[in-house]
Amino acid sequence: MTAADPKTRLAELVAEAVRKAFPGAGEATVDLDRPKNADHGDFATNVALQLAKRVGLKPRDAAQAIVAALGGAPEIAKTDIAGPGFINFTLSKASRFGVVAAIASAGAAYGRGRDGEGGTIMVEFVSANPTGPLHVGHGRQAALGDAISSLLEWQGWKVLREFYYNDAGNQIANLALSVQFRIREAAGLASGADLHEDWYRGDYIRDIARDYAAENPGDAKGEDLEAIRRFAVAYLRGEQDADLRAFGVKFDSYYLESSLYADGKVEEAVGMLVAAGRTYEADGALWLRTTDFGDDKDRVMRKSDGTYTYFVPDVAYHLAKFRRGYARAVNVQGADHHSTVTRVRAGLQALAAGIPQGYPDYVLHQMVTVMRGGEEVKISKRAGSYVTVRDLVEEAGRDAVRWFFIMRKVDSHLVFDIDLAKSQSDENPVYYVQYAHARLCSVLREWGGDAASLAGADLSALGTPHEVALAQALAQFPEVLARAAREFAPHLVSFYLHDELAARLHTYYNAERFLVEDEAVKLARLALVAATRQVLANGLAVLGVGAPERM
């Protein structure tokens, strides 16, 4: 059994045994699961239950035949037949602890997979309207999108991180009017009574108005609304970029909604839909037959006043994505975009442009509630009506914010407890994991030896229950990353790091001494310590969270 992947090698051994026991039965799928109870072994398979009817045996008898065909494989210490015919496997000591050597060899690359095989995929996330600073919902998107991108890269995908700026439409028009009002207010030409309910508030609007007036002295009365619009959008794009820098998120590409109109892509998409026979006119509007593709009713594309509804440029944008070579694409958006999924996918299918069904993939996350002192925090000094990402990062720290935004399933409402995020206790999950890493760095510093000398450690000196449990957790890391990438579920990584790896490490740390007098035992335990430190660092890197060496 190879040190790098005992699970794969075990699956190969079982498949060979099946062919030997039942040569005429054809191929069988060997699925290996990890028993919930560690006393039941390292892996279990139901392959005998799959084959029983095909080979004309009871499942337990089929299982016995497979075990007999395995013979005395040195990689397997023990096999048991459980229940109706499950086969449980306990690995040999060499197989269990071979993962330590594999981690030492791979280092920072341990856990990387090849599911992507160099394919290209676009991950679009945040994509906020440039009408204000990024709020905490955008922050959750940023953390999720960046972690999903990283997970895909670890599986061999070539990932493009894209931010789609919605710099067109009514919200941008209201932004310009909001800034114009503050300019006129400062000039004594307007009062609070003139502030429209749809306009934006918050100190940042006054800041934009002040800076516009300073840079455009010829328009002190705010009469050039188009110039105000351009200035406000550019200003807020800069603010959002600063928010993202504070959060440690970088994008490879920025795409402007306005360019879809300027380049004729919206008109082209509408023309394709008309030519495909998927539209009709009624009540002075142009409609798309989205019911042909599973929607509950048809949707207006072009209103009677000639303007397009919001999903039309989205269809044009995703057509452009596909044409740019991104046959796979993932959108990370808030749950309020749920209705968008059906409409955009319907529009893309209606184009008859060869875009596969289900394009793009969507990850829809629930919103965030921020708590401090047991009470909800609702407003920001800068934004007025909501808490911004930068506010949260400045108060709780980037690592804590990233971790908290990732640690729950995306479809779960997230409560961000600022007090917990700032605490240095085992109750704080990111502190708990980072402290595990720092603890191991401290052990290795105290030892003071050359890490290269651990490569020759005799791992047969390991074998306590805590050491077995830790080795089992280390071996799971590549599987966790692969599954998290397939399911676009970075919370699986944070759960693994906290509940599996860090928890087992802290238990081991409290139960055993590492720097013992027995040289063989000491080096073996230090090799296990070094491997655990490496996997903690790799997992934190995937999530964009730091791995401190001292705390």
Side-chain angles (χ1 to χ4, degrees), residues 1-20:
M1 193 173 299
T2 63
D5 190 358
K7 183 179 182 181
T8 299
R9 178 60 182 143
L10 179 59
E12 293 171 352
L13 287 172
V14 176
E16 290 172 7
V18 167
R19 287 191 291 270
K20 183 178 177 181

Side-chain angles (χ1 to χ4, degrees), residues 8-256:
T8 299
R9 178 60 182 143
L10 179 59
E12 293 171 352
L13 287 172
V14 176
E16 290 172 7
V18 167
R19 287 191 291 270
K20 183 178 177 181
F22 308 112
E27 291 296 317
T29 301
V30 179
D31 293 319
L32 293 173
D33 296 313
R34 296 183 184 275
K36 292 182 180 179
N37 186 338
D39 293 337
H40 294 165
D42 295 285
F43 295 102
T45 182
N46 67 350
V47 67
L49 282 81
Q50 294 180 42
L51 286 168
K53 183 178 290 188
R54 199 191 310 174
V55 300
L57 292 174
K58 294 179 179 179
R60 286 187 66 90
D61 293 338
Q64 288 173 349
I66 294 169
V67 170
L70 278 168
E75 298 91 346
I76 303 171
K78 186 175 70 170
T79 58
D80 292 303
I81 299 172
F86 293 99
I87 307 174
N88 294 335
F89 301 94
T90 299
L91 300 180
S92 67
K93 181 180 287 191
S95 295
R96 276 178 165 172
F97 292 105
V99 68
V100 175
I103 295 167
S105 175
Y110 179 72
R112 290 192 179 275
R114 300 177 60 186
D115 286 358
E117 290 290 352
T120 58
I121 188 168
M122 178 191 290
V123 182
E124 179 214 329
F125 57 105
V126 181
S127 295
N129 297 332
T131 54
L134 298 180
H135 57 62
V136 290
H138 297 134
R140 191 176 190 190
Q141 255 188 70
L144 288 168
D146 202 39
I148 288 169
S149 298
S150 182
L151 281 165
L152 292 167
E153 287 169 337
W154 272 67
Q155 294 304 308
W157 289 94
K158 296 177 182 176
V159 179
L160 182 89
R161 293 165 168 83
E162 182 153 288
F163 189 123
Y164 175 63
Y165 274 114
N166 301 98
D167 63 335
N170 289 334
Q171 290 177 312
I172 299 300
N174 284 332
L175 170 67
L177 291 168
S178 304
V179 176
Q180 183 185 53
F181 168 77
R182 294 304 183 190
I183 295 169
R184 293 174 61 79
E185 181 185 51
L189 301 174
S191 67
D194 302 316
L195 184 61
H196 193 278
E197 62 179 9
D198 291 337
W199 293 352
Y200 295 94
R201 291 156 172 79
D203 290 346
Y204 72 96
I205 296 294
R206 287 189 169 89
D207 293 341
I208 299 171
R210 181 197 62 227
D211 288 3
Y212 176 85
E215 295 183 27
N216 297 272
D219 189 27
K221 296 181 180 180
E223 296 174 334
D224 191 341
L225 188 60
E226 175 57 21
I228 293 171
R229 185 195 68 79
R230 290 195 303 269
F231 184 90
V233 167
Y235 183 102
L236 286 170
R237 283 187 62 184
E239 279 286 292
Q240 291 182 354
D241 287 346
D243 292 338
L244 292 167
R245 282 195 301 273
F247 204 37
V249 174
K250 297 179 181 179
F251 286 87
D252 304 303
S253 174
Y254 294 87
Y255 201 101
L256 302 181

Side-chain angles (χ1 to χ4, degrees), residues 51 75-76 301-302 311 342-343 435 443 450 493 497 528:
L51 286 168
E75 298 91 346
I76 303 171
M301 292 174 55
R302 186 175 60 223
F311 83 93
T342 301
R343 296 172 200 178
Y435 184 50
V443 170
D450 182 1
V493 182
L497 291 174
L528 181 58

